[in-house]
Amino acid sequence: MKSTFGKNLTVALFGESHGPAIGAVIDGLAPGIPLDPAHIRRQLDLRRAGANAALSTARQEADEFEILSGWFNEHTTGTPLTILIRNQQTRSGDYAKTKDLLRPGHADYTAYAKYGGWQDYRGGGHFSGRLTAPIVAAGAICEQILAAHGITLGTHLAECAGIADAPLPADETALKAAIAKVNAKPFAVLDDAAGEKMQQAILAAKSELDSVGGILETAVVGMPPGIGEPFFNSVESVLAHLIFSVPAVKGVEFGAGFGFAQMRGSEANDPFRMAGERIVTQSNNNGGVNGGISNGMPIVFRTVIKPTPSIYQPQQTVDISRHEDATLQIQGRHDPAIIHRARPVIDAVVALGLVDLFCEAYGTGWQANI
Amino acid sequence: MKSTFGKNLTVALFGESHGPAIGAVIDGLAPGIPLDPAHIRRQLDLRRAGANAALSTARQEADEFEILSGWFNEHTTGTPLTILIRNQQTRSGDYAKTKDLLRPGHADYTAYAKYGGWQDYRGGGHFSGRLTAPIVAAGAICEQILAAHGITLGTHLAECAGIADAPLPADETALKAAIAKVNAKPFAVLDDAAGEKMQQAILAAKSELDSVGGILETAVVGMPPGIGEPFFNSVESVLAHLIFSVPAVKGVEFGAGFGFAQMRGSEANDPFRMAGERIVTQSNNNGGVNGGISNGMPIVFRTVIKPTPSIYQPQQTVDISRHEDATLQIQGRHDPAIIHRARPVIDAVVALGLVDLFCEAYGTGWQANI
Amino acid sequence: MKSTFGKNLTVALFGESHGPAIGAVIDGLAPGIPLDPAHIRRQLDLRRAGANAALSTARQEADEFEILSGWFNEHTTGTPLTILIRNQQTRSGDYAKTKDLLRPGHADYTAYAKYGGWQDYRGGGHFSGRLTAPIVAAGAICEQILAAHGITLGTHLAECAGIADAPLPADETALKAAIAKVNAKPFAVLDDAAGEKMQQAILAAKSELDSVGGILETAVVGMPPGIGEPFFNSVESVLAHLIFSVPAVKGVEFGAGFGFAQMRGSEANDPFRMAGERIVTQSNNNGGVNGGISNGMPIVFRTVIKPTPSIYQPQQTVDISRHEDATLQIQGRHDPAIIHRARPVIDAVVALGLVDLFCEAYGTGWQANI
Amino acid sequence: MKSTFGKNLTVALFGESHGPAIGAVIDGLAPGIPLDPAHIRRQLDLRRAGANAALSTARQEADEFEILSGWFNEHTTGTPLTILIRNQQTRSGDYAKTKDLLRPGHADYTAYAKYGGWQDYRGGGHFSGRLTAPIVAAGAICEQILAAHGITLGTHLAECAGIADAPLPADETALKAAIAKVNAKPFAVLDDAAGEKMQQAILAAKSELDSVGGILETAVVGMPPGIGEPFFNSVESVLAHLIFSVPAVKGVEFGAGFGFAQMRGSEANDPFRMAGERIVTQSNNNGGVNGGISNGMPIVFRTVIKPTPSIYQPQQTVDISRHEDATLQIQGRHDPAIIHRARPVIDAVVALGLVDLFCEAYGTGWQANI
């Protein structure tokens, strides 16, 4: 598989940034799930260009989606559900002028090397961040399945342009409330003052023809223990696989993550204790996962998003048609930051990965036992 | 799939720490590959307990391996190659005494939750780090396949117990030499003085009945551009999937990794330039991967290894048979650090993942075009 | 996977007979393949209702297809190619009246049992033969890939309504010519007089409110030896898997097939001999496959197609809403025979399966080495 | 995947006829299944050479199996279960003499074409029927899982050397009893007089240095409706895939199979009716499968087994080292018929396929809900 993911719940992603349409076929949904299209719409809006106009690209796509199959009488049918989003605002001319100049930090050169020049280069083609729209739609379906099983998840901008948000609370009830709070915000921070500074920093970078990155932090609350498979299909393996599929992600750490390097075992281990009938850990350095399998504590991880590679400063590069050094002045419509738009994408892939793992243990039918 | 990985080259891993044997079936090797069993032996020795006696568990397994199939006239046959390693030094009595006391930081509780008590609990059973031995053997085969195509890889302890090794050189030729240098050492550091300090820190932790962790840094030199698949099977996705399968890994970052959070696009982007006939980048912040596909520069990533969870201090936990709080005093033979033993395991999974991706593009036959 | 097939070349099929659209995402095509949309069009026409108006359903779908992705500058891009066919001629009212009466021989009851009533029952929903249209389109692409490697295939009606066509010639050159001949005909017979009788028999059955079945015979000429995988992914396994996916197929036999039951080994074995530089067999009882792997002789197999289950006679059945016996008088537009329409579908799935197996050995890139 | 099958329950098959061992890794078993090793033993005995000494090869392998992993306290653990069978009676010298002479009807030439001469040619290597022993062992485990859910299956020799057995009864209760009866016999016929004639015909063929084939008929009783997936993973697709993996199989037909070619729809359709609370069909021409999904009636299918290709008569062939015509006089120990030995192999693959499909719908945990 290439642009297809999943074993029990399969997502086949298709489309190019400037082609007729993008979309996804989701195979493996249970029948009878009463999806709320408004939730799909809401997640797409969080992702789409234009939600925060000043912060984002000027390409204003409505991202209207059509469900082509697998949906009947306002419920899933159990057969493949297809989501189609037509591309509207394509201004391909922006790309034709500079098509031979490899954009640093983008997939232009690697796509050229892989596809020998046959790829649709316009706007990054199949490598465009635009392809995350159908992923968000598919993920929004899975988020509803998880929610019906008491599992909620959310992501905040833990850091952007060097400015830190307030930390997620350790306490599970407080954490769940914090997730609900950020999920309701277009710019996902716990501390709105920090969020304000981040947005100013993004605009500052924009005014300097530059871009910024940051760190997203995600929490999943309500996971039962025992989900995930040993070795090659651990929760961490499956989630990291999906998260690294998201454009601009360059690192993922669970729980204490890279902080473990300076800990001793006596600090790092999370002691178990009884909390009524339930077994919990006193700390959560392991981010809710032991031996690759969920332990019932919140799954917590951090994802680094690199600065948008499309910047308006002149950049050194190579002209691929002439095989000689060149200078690139990027055209088109680009974001000075994408971290706030990557937020619903991370939520989406996590939801996809978790539903796939639940189905591994409990079958497709698990989804609909609502 | 659960304990099975791969699409074109499949590894089915089996066994438990205290069962009769551990091993792996490797399906998808090309015929006619002249493997050197001495390289498998060498990598197993780097991984196995006892190579650095004072630093490691007292369990002294020879890890003698037998090739049960797929090997004829000193070459691969092209049919599944099976590696079997008998367990010898099992002292299961150590585990029976404390089998109901969940070891913090281990998979005891999660395996219990998943398997309902039917799992082989002795020494962690299928979740034991011992299962990495067949992975190392399988990886050693893939390393030879890559080497025959001019691709070499290696890993050093970038940091252990808070002590840093010298950095990997940026220059590709120097990097290749540095890899060769660390690959020849039992304790994989560039700076032997730093390595000496790390070993002292490990022994100090041991004497305090504690353990330490660290960060491994891996480089792959000689990759052609164009390897990897868009979106869900990017180089980063496939490698991260495998790396997070290795016990004790809690984070992975490619290139500048989490450092990207504080960079601007103008710093982060790696400008292209011609180097003779070849297209290279001037910096390698992206760690050899753009848009999920290799760009021909060294693939560089860092992996955090948490401190060994088995420590000899008393720990708070739960007795799973009584569902009540308890204190655990771990028995058995354990390592005060596993990071130096994790080194060949990371190399192994990277080799597996890369061969799988090469075969995706070029077929199984690619392996043998030596 | 459910409605998804393939490993190296993946086809994700979607849609329902009376939903907005049907289609397929084909992931794993090489870049740079100069597809001829006219060949896709031609194969769709062979499959579609209306080509032989009297013999087929009165539902007249144009089956106009749109390529949504993976196609740029008249060549494949190497990223997923999506084919979309909008449903036009849906008269769902025909089905609403009898929706609780299970149609014998159809998937109504089994879909109900599987999906608990949430399935789109109209016209068989996802189980409709209409879903073979995107399969034919995907297969038409693969037929062009095979043709560029000198491999041609075709199918004739070996038997319909008890009337036999002339046999395929044994000689390879004559066989290739015979395939070309039937491929050019709308009603695929070698002997047009037999074909005429078959069509009369179909019309006779129609006038008696009944339907007929038959046997398709397929040959693939030009296969190199050595394609297919041992045991579980033999040529026969992969092709049979796909062929049994086609609605109405109830049996598949390779070479002498069920005739082997009455042979002795001395008759059944195909002796080898040199034919110039090439190794051939003197007979082809094994249908071009030994030990699951192609031997370079024509791959020949026969597929039985059951009579169309939709007949206009009253039938005994069950009312699923009342759980009581009932009589069904089928409404809607149906074919008195589908065997002639199944012909391009069999060709399509064979082409898909063979390209998948070639890519297993030679990689995705094999496709474009034209 | 190549020698690996399954999605939810995966079987990785390994070994060569004259190598050190053969075996299989079964990944995806639920924990806590109380397997009876005596059933595995019994099925292996039905398959193995020597059970009917005069009818079979003189190679007398005990086929003693060892469970290397996944088995603890007399139950499955839920982690991969590995079965190992050491090869004992290898007389490889028989093969060295004629190794360049391609055996007609065998995989010698196709393996040579695929593996370029690197394959283990001795006794057919990985293509040997001997590899069906671990399949039988894996299947025996799945048969016990199905039996615990009230599903039983069995196979009889419907025809051998042109001699027919009595037909399977149509009535479900009588069918279940008939299956139990043949399962208890070493030579699986309903009519012992017919069985006696078959055995005489086999011996007659043997005395004439020849071999015979036949048809196996299999029935599965107790299937619930609703198992199987639409299109590409229908019950028929999955079972046929596996059945065609068994050496010597050249055709499979479900229910009326090739007989459908001469039926009309009014005969072919199986009318539904209520039988108490249950929906049944009055006839079972569709062999328990509609639209690829089980309908709750017995699954019935027939498999043709070609005559053993190893015969002691001189045969025309090619010397692969010289690329010239030659005459082969086969050495070694061979069966004049293998159909009676193929019987437990067919049962095994059917059990594997059905458990895989059940897990698709209900998860791995379904297996242990006993």
Side-chain angles (χ1 to χ4, degrees):
Chain A
M1 297 190 221
K2 296 156 209 265
S3 296
T4 306
F5 185 81
K7 186 185 144 184
N8 306 286
L9 185 76
T10 312
V11 176
L13 186 69
F14 63 84
E16 285 86 27
S17 181
H18 290 238
I22 56 176
V25 180
I26 308 156
D27 190 5
L29 290 171
I33 304 178
L35 296 180
D36 177 10
H39 180 67
I40 302 178
R41 179 70 270 154
R42 188 178 168 284
Q43 295 301 105
L44 283 173
D45 284 344
L46 288 178
R47 190 214 72 88
R48 113 188 131 87
N52 291 44
L55 302 181
S56 305
T57 167
R59 179 173 172 181
Q60 299 287 333
E61 286 280 5
D63 284 350
E64 304 226 8
F65 67 94
E66 182 184 11
I67 299 181
L68 289 181
S69 65
W71 177 249
F72 184 55
N73 290 337
E74 309 302 312
H75 288 76
T76 56
T77 58
T79 52
L81 190 150
T82 304
I83 287 172
L84 189 76
I85 300 172
R86 293 271 171 188
N87 291 321
Q88 311 275 4
Q89 295 284 321
T90 51
R91 282 185 7 210
S92 308
D94 289 347
Y95 293 92
K97 288 176 246 172
T98 55
K99 83 182 180 71
D100 292 331
L101 301 179
L102 305 173
R103 292 172 302 160
H106 274 288
D108 294 358
Y109 173 51
T110 54
Y112 182 90
K114 181 169 182 60
Y115 301 113
W118 297 107
Q119 75 280 6
D120 181 350
Y121 58 81
R122 300 168 301 167
H126 187 61
F127 291 83
S128 168
R130 184 150 175 69
L131 270 281
T132 59
I135 295 179
V136 164
I141 292 171
C142 293
E143 288 159 19
Q144 296 184 54
I145 293 169
L146 291 173
H149 288 84
I151 301 163
T152 52
L153 59 93
T155 296
H156 75 125
L157 284 77
E159 184 182 323
C160 177
I163 298 149
D165 189 20
L168 285 176
D171 173 75
E172 211 165 331
T173 309
L175 177 57
K176 195 169 173 179
I179 288 171
K181 195 175 146 190
V182 295
N183 280 348
K185 297 185 185 182
F187 195 84
V189 285
L190 292 164
D191 174 356
D192 288 329
E196 190 55 41
K197 281 186 204 158
M198 290 177 191
Q199 295 181 59
Q200 287 165 4
I202 295 171
L203 293 174
K206 185 183 182 182
S207 71
E208 294 166 40
L209 310 181
D210 217 330
S211 64
V212 297
I215 296 171
L216 293 171
E217 186 172 38
T218 304
V220 185
V221 181
M223 280 293 289
I227 299 302
E229 300 298 327
F231 271 92
F232 297 120
N233 287 291
S234 75
V235 168
E236 288 149 323
S237 285
V238 170
L239 295 189
H241 189 134
L242 282 158
I243 295 163
F244 274 112
S245 301
V246 178
V249 169
K250 297 301 278 191
V252 176
E253 58 180 358
F254 286 82
F258 280 88
F260 275 118
Q262 307 213 2
M263 286 184 184
R264 282 198 164 183
S266 53
E267 299 164 81
N269 286 349
D270 300 310
F272 290 105
R273 67 174 172 81
M274 297 305 303
E277 290 302 294
R278 191 177 155 215
I279 295 170
V280 298
T281 61
Q282 295 185 33
S283 50
N284 190 17
N285 288 322
N286 283 282
V289 183
N290 285 139
I293 295 179
S294 67
N295 66 12
M297 299 300 291
I299 295 177
V300 182
F301 63 87
R302 290 155 55 91
T303 304
V304 64
I305 305 290
K306 71 175 185 177
T308 324
S310 291
I311 55 174
Y312 292 100
Q313 300 177 24
Q315 296 183 82
Q316 290 185 48
T317 190
V318 157
D319 182 317
I320 192 70
S321 66
R322 303 181 178 202
H323 275 241
E324 62 184 33
D325 291 342
T327 299
L328 168 69
Q329 178 74 51
I330 279 184
Q331 309 293 322
R333 300 158 294 179
H334 307 288
D335 307 73
I338 49 168
I339 181 168
H340 57 295
R341 296 180 59 196
R343 179 250 287 218
V345 185
I346 299 296
D347 287 349
V349 294
V350 169
L352 282 168
L354 291 178
V355 170
D356 199 31
L357 284 171
F358 269 101
C359 293
E360 177 97 15
Y362 302 126
T364 300
W366 167 84
Q367 296 170 30
N369 292 345
I370 296 176
Chain B
M1 295 191 222
K2 296 155 209 263
S3 297
T4 305
F5 185 81
K7 186 185 145 186
N8 305 287
L9 185 75
T10 312
V11 176
L13 186 67
F14 64 84
E16 285 87 26
S17 181
H18 289 237
I22 55 177
V25 180
I26 308 154
D27 191 6
L29 290 171
I33 304 176
L35 296 180
D36 177 10
H39 180 65
I40 302 178
R41 178 70 269 155
R42 190 179 165 283
Q43 294 303 101
L44 283 173
D45 283 345
L46 288 177
R47 191 215 70 91
R48 114 187 130 88
N52 291 42
L55 302 181
S56 305
T57 168
R59 179 172 172 182
Q60 299 288 332
E61 287 279 6
D63 284 351
E64 304 223 9
F65 68 93
E66 182 184 10
I67 299 181
L68 289 181
S69 66
W71 177 249
F72 184 57
N73 290 336
E74 310 302 312
H75 288 75
T76 57
T77 59
T79 52
L81 189 149
T82 304
I83 287 172
L84 188 76
I85 300 172
R86 294 273 171 186
N87 291 321
Q88 311 276 0
Q89 295 283 322
T90 52
R91 280 184 10 206
S92 306
D94 292 347
Y95 293 92
K97 289 176 244 172
T98 55
K99 83 182 179 71
D100 292 331
L101 301 179
L102 305 173
R103 292 172 303 160
H106 274 289
D108 294 357
Y109 173 51
T110 53
Y112 182 90
K114 181 170 181 60
Y115 300 114
W118 296 107
Q119 74 282 6
D120 182 349
Y121 57 82
R122 298 167 303 167
H126 187 61
F127 291 84
S128 168
R130 185 149 174 68
L131 270 283
T132 58
I135 295 178
V136 165
I141 291 171
C142 293
E143 288 159 21
Q144 296 183 54
I145 293 169
L146 292 173
H149 288 85
I151 301 163
T152 52
L153 59 94
T155 297
H156 77 124
L157 285 78
E159 183 182 324
C160 176
I163 299 149
D165 190 20
L168 285 176
D171 173 75
E172 211 165 331
T173 309
L175 178 57
K176 195 170 175 179
I179 287 171
K181 193 173 146 192
V182 295
N183 280 348
K185 295 185 186 183
F187 195 86
V189 285
L190 292 163
D191 173 354
D192 289 328
E196 190 56 41
K197 281 186 204 159
M198 290 178 191
Q199 295 182 57
Q200 286 165 5
I202 294 171
L203 292 173
K206 184 185 184 182
S207 71
E208 294 165 40
L209 311 179
D210 217 331
S211 65
V212 298
I215 295 170
L216 293 172
E217 186 172 37
T218 304
V220 185
V221 181
M223 281 294 289
I227 299 301
E229 301 296 328
F231 272 93
F232 296 121
N233 287 291
S234 73
V235 168
E236 288 149 322
S237 284
V238 169
L239 294 189
H241 189 134
L242 282 158
I243 294 163
F244 274 113
S245 301
V246 178
V249 168
K250 297 301 281 190
V252 175
E253 58 180 358
F254 286 80
F258 280 88
F260 275 119
Q262 307 213 1
M263 287 184 183
R264 283 197 163 184
S266 54
E267 300 163 81
N269 286 349
D270 300 309
F272 290 104
R273 66 175 173 81
M274 297 305 302
E277 290 302 294
R278 195 179 152 212
I279 295 171
V280 297
T281 62
Q282 295 184 37
S283 49
N284 190 15
N285 289 321
N286 283 282
V289 183
N290 285 140
I293 295 179
S294 67
N295 65 12
M297 299 300 289
I299 296 178
V300 182
F301 64 87
R302 289 154 56 93
T303 305
V304 64
I305 307 288
K306 72 175 184 178
T308 325
S310 292
I311 56 173
Y312 292 102
Q313 300 177 24
Q315 295 184 84
Q316 290 185 48
T317 190
V318 157
D319 182 317
I320 191 73
S321 65
R322 304 182 177 199
H323 275 240
E324 62 184 33
D325 290 344
T327 300
L328 167 68
Q329 178 72 51
I330 280 184
Q331 308 294 320
R333 299 157 295 178
H334 308 288
D335 307 73
I338 49 168
I339 181 168
H340 56 295
R341 297 181 59 196
R343 179 250 286 214
V345 186
I346 299 297
D347 287 348
V349 296
V350 169
L352 282 167
L354 292 178
V355 170
D356 200 30
L357 285 170
F358 269 100
C359 294
E360 179 96 15
Y362 303 125
T364 300
W366 167 84
Q367 296 169 30
N369 294 344
I370 297 175
Chain C
M1 297 190 219
K2 296 155 210 269
S3 297
T4 306
F5 186 81
K7 187 186 143 185
N8 305 288
L9 185 76
T10 312
V11 176
L13 186 69
F14 64 84
E16 285 87 27
S17 182
H18 290 238
I22 56 176
V25 180
I26 307 154
D27 191 5
L29 289 172
I33 304 177
L35 296 181
D36 176 10
H39 180 66
I40 302 178
R41 178 70 270 153
R42 189 179 167 284
Q43 294 302 104
L44 283 172
D45 284 345
L46 288 178
R47 191 215 71 90
R48 110 189 135 88
N52 291 44
L55 302 180
S56 305
T57 167
R59 179 172 172 180
Q60 299 286 335
E61 286 279 6
D63 285 350
E64 305 226 7
F65 68 94
E66 182 183 11
I67 300 180
L68 289 181
S69 66
W71 177 249
F72 185 56
N73 290 337
E74 309 303 312
H75 288 76
T76 57
T77 58
T79 52
L81 189 149
T82 304
I83 287 171
L84 189 76
I85 300 171
R86 294 271 171 188
N87 290 322
Q88 311 276 4
Q89 295 284 322
T90 52
R91 281 185 7 208
S92 307
D94 291 346
Y95 293 92
K97 288 176 244 170
T98 55
K99 82 180 180 70
D100 293 330
L101 301 179
L102 306 172
R103 292 173 301 160
H106 274 289
D108 293 358
Y109 173 50
T110 54
Y112 182 90
K114 182 170 181 62
Y115 300 113
W118 297 107
Q119 74 281 6
D120 182 349
Y121 58 82
R122 299 168 302 168
H126 187 61
F127 291 84
S128 167
R130 184 150 174 69
L131 270 282
T132 57
I135 295 178
V136 165
I141 292 171
C142 292
E143 288 159 21
Q144 296 183 54
I145 294 169
L146 292 173
H149 288 83
I151 300 164
T152 52
L153 59 95
T155 295
H156 76 124
L157 285 78
E159 182 182 325
C160 176
I163 299 149
D165 189 21
L168 285 175
D171 173 74
E172 212 166 329
T173 308
L175 177 58
K176 195 169 173 180
I179 288 171
K181 194 174 145 191
V182 295
N183 281 348
K185 296 186 186 182
F187 195 85
V189 285
L190 292 164
D191 173 356
D192 288 329
E196 191 54 43
K197 282 185 203 159
M198 291 178 191
Q199 295 181 57
Q200 286 164 5
I202 295 171
L203 293 174
K206 185 183 183 183
S207 71
E208 295 166 40
L209 310 179
D210 217 331
S211 64
V212 298
I215 296 171
L216 293 171
E217 186 173 38
T218 304
V220 185
V221 182
M223 281 291 290
I227 298 302
E229 300 296 327
F231 271 93
F232 297 121
N233 287 291
S234 74
V235 168
E236 288 150 323
S237 284
V238 170
L239 295 190
H241 188 135
L242 282 157
I243 294 164
F244 275 112
S245 301
V246 178
V249 169
K250 298 300 279 190
V252 175
E253 58 180 358
F254 285 81
F258 280 89
F260 275 119
Q262 306 212 3
M263 286 184 185
R264 282 199 164 183
S266 53
E267 300 164 81
N269 286 348
D270 299 311
F272 291 104
R273 66 174 173 81
M274 296 306 303
E277 290 302 294
R278 194 178 154 214
I279 296 171
V280 298
T281 61
Q282 294 185 35
S283 49
N284 191 17
N285 289 321
N286 282 282
V289 183
N290 284 140
I293 296 178
S294 67
N295 66 13
M297 299 300 290
I299 296 178
V300 182
F301 64 87
R302 289 155 55 93
T303 305
V304 64
I305 307 288
K306 70 175 185 176
T308 325
S310 292
I311 55 173
Y312 291 102
Q313 300 176 23
Q315 296 184 83
Q316 291 184 47
T317 190
V318 157
D319 182 316
I320 191 72
S321 66
R322 304 181 178 202
H323 274 241
E324 61 185 34
D325 290 343
T327 299
L328 168 68
Q329 179 73 51
I330 279 184
Q331 309 292 322
R333 301 157 294 179
H334 308 289
D335 307 75
I338 50 169
I339 182 169
H340 56 295
R341 297 180 58 197
R343 179 249 288 217
V345 186
I346 299 296
D347 286 349
V349 295
V350 169
L352 281 167
L354 291 178
V355 170
D356 200 30
L357 285 170
F358 269 101
C359 294
E360 178 96 15
Y362 303 125
T364 299
W366 167 84
Q367 296 170 33
N369 293 344
I370 297 175
Chain D
M1 295 190 224
K2 297 156 209 260
S3 298
T4 305
F5 185 82
K7 186 186 145 186
N8 306 286
L9 185 76
T10 312
V11 176
L13 186 69
F14 64 84
E16 285 87 26
S17 182
H18 290 238
I22 56 177
V25 180
I26 308 154
D27 191 5
L29 289 171
I33 304 177
L35 297 180
D36 177 10
H39 180 66
I40 302 178
R41 178 70 268 153
R42 189 178 165 284
Q43 295 302 103
L44 283 173
D45 283 345
L46 287 177
R47 190 215 71 89
R48 111 189 132 88
N52 290 43
L55 303 180
S56 306
T57 167
R59 179 172 171 183
Q60 299 287 332
E61 285 279 6
D63 283 353
E64 304 224 9
F65 68 93
E66 183 184 9
I67 301 181
L68 288 181
S69 67
W71 177 249
F72 185 55
N73 290 335
E74 310 301 313
H75 288 76
T76 57
T77 58
T79 51
L81 190 149
T82 304
I83 286 171
L84 188 75
I85 300 172
R86 292 274 170 184
N87 291 322
Q88 310 276 1
Q89 295 284 321
T90 51
R91 283 186 6 210
S92 307
D94 291 347
Y95 294 93
K97 287 176 245 170
T98 55
K99 82 181 181 72
D100 292 331
L101 301 179
L102 306 173
R103 292 172 302 160
H106 274 288
D108 293 358
Y109 173 51
T110 53
Y112 182 90
K114 182 170 181 60
Y115 300 113
W118 297 106
Q119 74 280 6
D120 181 350
Y121 56 82
R122 299 167 302 167
H126 187 61
F127 290 83
S128 168
R130 185 151 174 67
L131 269 283
T132 58
I135 294 178
V136 165
I141 291 171
C142 293
E143 289 159 21
Q144 296 184 54
I145 293 168
L146 292 173
H149 288 84
I151 301 162
T152 52
L153 60 94
T155 296
H156 76 125
L157 284 78
E159 183 183 324
C160 176
I163 300 150
D165 190 20
L168 285 176
D171 173 74
E172 211 165 330
T173 310
L175 177 58
K176 195 169 175 179
I179 287 171
K181 194 173 146 193
V182 295
N183 280 348
K185 295 185 186 182
F187 195 85
V189 284
L190 292 163
D191 173 355
D192 288 329
E196 190 56 40
K197 282 186 204 156
M198 291 177 190
Q199 295 181 57
Q200 285 164 5
I202 295 171
L203 293 174
K206 184 184 183 182
S207 70
E208 293 166 40
L209 310 181
D210 217 330
S211 65
V212 298
I215 295 171
L216 293 171
E217 185 173 37
T218 304
V220 185
V221 182
M223 280 293 291
I227 298 302
E229 301 296 328
F231 271 92
F232 297 120
N233 287 292
S234 74
V235 168
E236 288 149 323
S237 284
V238 170
L239 295 190
H241 188 134
L242 282 158
I243 294 164
F244 274 112
S245 302
V246 178
V249 169
K250 298 301 281 191
V252 175
E253 58 180 359
F254 286 81
F258 280 88
F260 276 118
Q262 307 214 1
M263 287 184 183
R264 284 198 162 184
S266 53
E267 300 163 81
N269 285 350
D270 300 310
F272 290 104
R273 66 174 173 81
M274 297 304 303
E277 290 302 295
R278 195 179 152 212
I279 296 170
V280 297
T281 60
Q282 295 183 36
S283 50
N284 190 18
N285 288 322
N286 283 282
V289 183
N290 284 139
I293 296 180
S294 67
N295 66 11
M297 299 301 289
I299 295 177
V300 182
F301 64 86
R302 290 154 55 93
T303 305
V304 64
I305 306 289
K306 71 175 184 177
T308 325
S310 291
I311 55 172
Y312 292 101
Q313 300 177 23
Q315 295 182 84
Q316 290 185 49
T317 189
V318 157
D319 182 317
I320 191 71
S321 65
R322 303 181 177 200
H323 275 240
E324 62 184 32
D325 290 343
T327 300
L328 168 67
Q329 178 73 52
I330 278 184
Q331 308 294 320
R333 300 157 294 178
H334 308 289
D335 307 73
I338 49 167
I339 182 170
H340 56 295
R341 296 180 60 194
R343 179 250 287 217
V345 185
I346 298 297
D347 287 349
V349 296
V350 170
L352 282 167
L354 291 178
V355 170
D356 200 30
L357 285 171
F358 270 101
C359 294
E360 178 96 16
Y362 302 126
T364 300
W366 167 84
Q367 296 170 29
N369 293 344
I370 296 176

